[in-house]
């Protein structure tokens, strides 16, 4: 039988009593105070260093105390300290301005609720056949769509179905919302497209002074009630192009131009007019492989619209659904039949004179198609839009103001550039 072993107790050093002398007490007191001041100073410096922004390029985020905003959709990078203003004051001013603009833009394009003092999309959708006063930003967006004779705005109910499709967790669930696999979804898409294409069924009248009236036929109202649909109008995948312009113009009008603003889904505004050089990673998809095919350098100011049939980040993935066999469902819904399609894996459009929304209005009819018209792409420079697209491993560009570098090459793929003069 093993002998019992007494548990070992932790070692405790012997306690010693130390007598403190009263000699030099004053000197010790002064030293203690100095050490305390040094410690407090170091702590204060550390806190200030944490809350005081440095000069140079910094990301500006929407203030944490903001209400619902579109800030999560955008990235604002700004070169602080160039203007000569205090970096802290400049950062605070830009953050406040950007925060207010992001909150306001969210409310303007909100389809889920009304907001006091902001005539928004919800208000228009819930007051069919009535005159409604809307925010000037929304009125300007409506005007641009009307100018380009676009009917994409009228696919609201169908966009809701595609949102449900993109958030599905598996192929079986997704198939229930996919017009290409489910007869009910196909019929719903066809009905939505038919209404959207017919001005007699739905049409938005611009009355002037920021007042609009959404005309909806009784047949469409009855159909909407039967299907529990209240969202007649929605910008959906177009929305962030209009918001990017609103946010960028707000910053420019306030004199803040040393920055870039981009959205997760491909809309970018370079605010800088100093002549500094910027670059865009031009990605290309070949099969399931997505890679940076080239670096595209440009000088601002510039608006860039980068359309693609694949996601580039986790947020972007929320705009698509990819089946196990690799087939992707796309957000670019064709108003003629309600089906998502893209003529190219990717298309980037640069414009010095136009904003993102107007650039998109020119590019959308070409991109939301079964195949691209190269002749149509080559006419875009006449409208101050410089397209860049990929055909296999050949990067095509109709732009004299863009510089290409770092063309991707490895043992299996070698990208080349074919650049034509406008």
């Amino acid at each position: 039988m093993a002998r019992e072993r007494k548990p070992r107790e932790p070692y405790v050093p012997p306690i010693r009593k130390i007598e403190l002398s009263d000699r030099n007490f004053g000197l010790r007191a002064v030293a203690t105070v100095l050490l305390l001041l040094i410690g407090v100073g170091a702590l204060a410096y550390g806190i200030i260093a944490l809350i005081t922004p440095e000069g140079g390029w910094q990301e500006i985020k929407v203030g944490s105390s903001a209400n619902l905003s579109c800030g999560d959709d955008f990235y604002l990078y700004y070169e602080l300290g160039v203007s000569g203003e205090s970096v802290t004051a400049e950062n605070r001013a830009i953050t406040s301005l950007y925060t207010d603009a992001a909150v306001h833009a969210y409310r303007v394009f909100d389809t889920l609720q009304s907001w006091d003092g902001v005539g928004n999309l919800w208000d228009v959708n819930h007051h069919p056949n009535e005159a409604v006063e809307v925010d000037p930003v929304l009125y300007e967006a409506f005007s641009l769509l009307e100018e380009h004779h676009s009917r994409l705005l009228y696919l609201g109910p169908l966009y809701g179905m595609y949102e449900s499709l993109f958030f599905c967790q598996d192929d079986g669930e997704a198939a229930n919302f996919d017009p290409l696999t489910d007869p009910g979804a196909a019929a719903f898409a066809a009905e939505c497209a038919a209404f959207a294409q017919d001005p007699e069924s739905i049409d938005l009248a611009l009355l002037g002074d920021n007042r609009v009236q959404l005309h909806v036929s009784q047949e469409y109202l009855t159909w909407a009630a039967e299907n529990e649909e209240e969202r007649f109008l929605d910008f959906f995948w177009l929305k962030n192009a209009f918001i990017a312009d609103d946010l960028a113009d707000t910053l420019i009008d306030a004199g803040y131009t040393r920055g870039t603003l981009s959205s997760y889904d491909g809309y970018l505004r370079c605010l800088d007019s100093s002549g500094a050089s910027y670059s865009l990673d031009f990605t290309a998809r070949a099969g399931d492989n997505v890679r940076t095919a080239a670096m595209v350098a440009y000088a601002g100011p510039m608006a860039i619209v980068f359309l693609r049939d694949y996601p580039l980040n986790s947020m972007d993935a929320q705009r698509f659904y990819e089946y196990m066999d690799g087939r992707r469902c796309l957000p670019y819904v064709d108003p003629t039949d309600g089906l998502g399609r893209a003529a190219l894996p990717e298309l980037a459009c640069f414009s010095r004179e136009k904003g993102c929304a107007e650039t998109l209005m020119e590019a959308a009819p070409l991109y939301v198609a079964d195949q691209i018209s190269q002749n149509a792409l080559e006419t875009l420079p006449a409208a101050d839009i410089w397209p860049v697209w990929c055909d296999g491993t050949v990067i095509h560009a109709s732009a004299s103001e863009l510089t290409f570098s770092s063309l991707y090459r490895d043992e299996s793929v070698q990208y080349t550039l074919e650049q034509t003069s406008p």
Side-chain angles (χ1 to χ4, degrees):
M1 181 177 178
R3 295 175 59 185
E4 293 184 1
R5 179 175 298 177
K6 183 179 179 180
R8 296 185 61 182
E9 296 181 0
Y11 169 76
V12 179
I15 299 175
R16 296 181 181 180
K17 184 177 181 181
I18 302 176
E19 297 288 345
L20 295 177
S21 171
D22 290 334
R23 296 179 60 188
N24 299 323
F25 179 79
L27 291 174
R28 290 199 305 270
V30 171
T32 300
V33 172
L34 287 175
L35 288 172
L36 180 62
L37 290 175
I38 292 172
V40 172
L43 178 61
Y45 176 81
I47 294 174
I48 292 172
L50 288 174
I51 64 176
T52 302
E54 298 178 358
W57 284 99
Q58 302 290 334
E59 182 178 5
I60 308 293
K61 296 184 178 181
V62 168
S64 59
S65 61
N67 295 317
L68 291 172
S69 80
C70 58
D72 287 342
D73 288 1
F74 287 87
Y75 309 92
L76 173 62
Y77 288 92
Y78 200 87
E79 189 176 12
L80 296 171
V82 177
S83 64
E85 184 181 358
S86 160
V87 170
T88 301
E90 187 177 39
N91 179 72
R92 186 183 300 115
I94 296 173
T95 298
S96 176
L97 183 67
Y98 180 48
T99 298
D100 291 345
V103 170
H104 178 258
Y106 178 92
R107 295 179 177 183
V108 167
F109 291 91
D110 192 358
T111 61
L112 300 179
Q113 70 177 93
S114 181
W115 295 91
D116 291 341
V118 180
N120 69 356
L121 266 181
W122 189 96
D123 296 319
V124 178
N125 281 327
H126 286 78
H127 295 87
N129 300 311
E130 300 177 28
V132 177
E133 183 175 352
V134 298
D135 189 273
V137 172
L138 186 57
Y139 192 87
E140 185 177 346
F142 287 152
S143 300
L144 185 59
L145 285 161
E146 182 182 73
E147 178 184 341
H148 287 267
H149 309 290
S150 174
R151 303 292 295 180
L152 292 169
L153 180 68
Y154 299 108
L155 291 168
L158 189 52
Y159 291 150
M161 187 183 78
Y162 275 93
E163 286 175 341
S164 299
L165 170 58
F166 299 150
F167 278 94
C168 287
Q169 300 300 309
D170 56 57
D171 288 4
E173 183 182 3
N176 295 322
F177 297 95
D178 187 349
L180 296 181
T181 58
D182 184 80
F188 184 82
E191 291 170 353
C192 289
F195 283 125
Q197 284 290 93
D198 181 15
E200 296 297 321
S201 295
I202 182 170
D203 203 47
L204 184 68
L206 305 181
L207 307 178
D209 297 325
N210 298 321
R211 296 171 66 252
V212 302
Q213 185 167 350
L214 178 62
H215 297 289
V216 184
S217 68
Q218 186 57 52
E219 179 187 3
Y220 193 6
L221 288 172
T222 301
W223 180 91
E226 292 174 349
N227 288 274
E228 299 181 340
E229 293 290 344
E230 299 178 333
R231 182 169 51 172
F232 296 102
L233 307 180
D234 193 357
F235 284 80
F236 196 41
W237 64 276
L238 312 170
K239 180 177 68 174
N240 279 343
F242 291 89
I243 293 179
D245 287 341
D246 180 45
L247 298 179
D249 292 344
T250 298
L251 291 166
I252 292 172
D253 291 344
Y256 297 112
T257 60
R258 296 300 288 263
T260 64
L261 175 78
S262 60
S263 70
Y264 75 92
D265 50 352
Y267 305 112
L268 185 148
R269 285 285 300 271
C270 176
L271 318 179
D272 192 358
S273 58
S274 70
S277 180
Y278 294 83
S279 64
L280 172 78
D281 289 347
F282 179 74
T283 60
R285 179 181 65 79
D288 294 331
N289 296 319
V290 175
R291 55 176 62 89
T292 298
M295 299 286 290
V296 186
Y298 62 91
M302 191 74 74
I304 303 174
V305 171
F306 193 3
L307 303 174
R308 49 189 183 263
D309 70 357
Y310 50 86
L312 284 180
N313 51 64
S314 58
M315 285 191 65
D316 210 9
Q318 299 174 12
R319 302 190 305 133
F320 302 87
Y321 183 84
E322 184 170 350
Y323 286 94
M324 293 296 292
D325 63 6
R327 182 172 71 87
R328 281 180 298 278
C329 300
L330 310 177
Y332 313 113
V333 182
D334 191 335
T336 62
D337 58 11
L339 301 180
R341 50 173 51 93
L344 289 168
E346 59 279 315
L347 171 66
C349 293
F350 297 72
S351 181
R352 189 174 297 282
E353 301 296 331
K354 292 177 168 56
C356 287
E358 192 170 0
T359 301
L360 178 61
M361 287 296 95
E362 296 282 356
L366 306 180
Y367 192 75
V368 186
D370 285 322
Q371 58 184 9
I372 199 69
S373 169
Q374 185 161 330
N375 290 335
L377 285 176
E378 292 175 349
T379 65
L380 288 178
D384 188 56
I385 297 175
W386 312 89
V388 179
W389 71 99
C390 206
D391 181 9
T393 59
V394 179
I395 300 172
H396 295 268
S398 179
S400 59
E401 298 189 14
L402 306 178
T403 303
F404 293 78
S405 63
S406 303
L407 269 65
Y408 184 90
R409 289 184 173 89
D410 65 14
E411 295 180 354
S412 60
V413 177
Q414 293 190 359
Y415 282 89
T416 59
L417 174 65
E418 184 175 301
Q419 194 166 4
T420 58
S421 299

